Amino acid sequence: MADPVKRQYRSAARVAAAAATRVRIRAAAASLFTRKGYVATTMREVAAEAGIGERTLYDAFPSKAALFQHTLGVATVGDEQPVRVADRAEIRAAQQQLDARAAIGRTIEYTAALLDQAGDLIMVSVEAAGADADMRAAADAGASATHQVYLALTEELARRRALRAGLDATAAADILYALGSPHVHQLLRRHRGWSPERYRRWLEDVVAQQLLA
């Protein structure tokens, strides 16, 4: 009979090796997608940059769209857990802040960090949306999910009567959606070279000015 301890060790080693391979694949894919764009990047190039065989890459990700979605998803939330941004503890904690300015600040802090991690890849999907149906679907789904996160916050602020006069929750979420967009982040952080702290403070200040009573 095989030693169960040895079986468990081999199983754990395989899991760790597979996770390490996915890390290399994600790093290679993110680099190529952001440098060359989605359409111009090939699975063969990703495999070569990751230092693995093309067959190994396809065993892990059956299509370029699946690879992109995985790479973007992990960049967005920071891990491989199937937990949406809306259900993340940091977002829930931000929405539960008793002070309205603190609720906005915590949300912006999370948003700014997310965009620093995943903003370039989000823009890849936006830029490729006109040429690729998978990217159009990814961009639309991401935009919808982002707006829902912001709407949950602004509905809570509206419930507390913290929004400025004449502004309802939907309009407030629209403003936050525009100001906190990956497009604005790209302009200020990448094109204009703003530091993470300067961008975060600016976004928090302008959102508070626009939304709060």
Side-chain angles (χ1 to χ4, degrees), residues 8-164:
Q8 290 172 4
Y9 175 80
R10 286 196 295 269
S11 177
R14 284 196 297 271
V15 170
T21 297
R22 287 196 301 275
V23 170
R24 293 205 309 275
I25 290 172
R26 285 197 299 270
S31 175
L32 285 164
F33 285 137
T34 53
R35 289 197 331 256
K36 299 185 62 177
Y38 177 81
V39 175
T41 297
T42 67
M43 294 289 273
R44 177 174 295 180
E45 290 172 325
V46 174
E49 184 140 333
I52 61 173
E54 199 170 348
R55 174 63 183 273
T56 300
L57 178 59
Y58 275 105
D59 284 344
F61 302 101
S63 68
K64 186 166 68 168
L67 172 60
F68 183 87
Q69 289 282 43
H70 173 79
T71 304
L72 175 58
V74 174
T76 298
V77 298
D79 57 52
E80 296 188 58
Q81 298 301 314
V83 181
R84 302 177 309 157
V85 169
D87 297 325
R88 292 272 159 171
E90 299 92 335
I91 288 295
R92 295 296 182 116
Q95 294 169 354
Q96 292 167 5
Q97 293 292 307
L98 295 179
D99 179 74
R101 177 66 187 246
I104 287 175
R106 292 282 292 274
T107 301
I108 294 305
E109 182 178 9
Y110 186 90
T111 296
L114 184 157
L115 289 172
D116 275 342
Q117 295 166 183
D120 293 338
L121 283 171
I122 293 171
M123 290 304 298
V124 168
S125 70
V126 171
E127 290 162 1
D132 187 278
D134 289 325
M135 288 300 97
R136 165 58 66 185
D140 289 349
S144 177
T146 299
H147 192 275
Q148 287 301 311
V149 168
Y150 292 150
L151 183 60
L153 171 64
T154 57
E155 285 178 339
E156 178 61 23
L157 294 176
R159 187 185 67 79
R160 301 179 198 172
R161 302 183 184 277
L163 295 178
R164 62 180 171 82

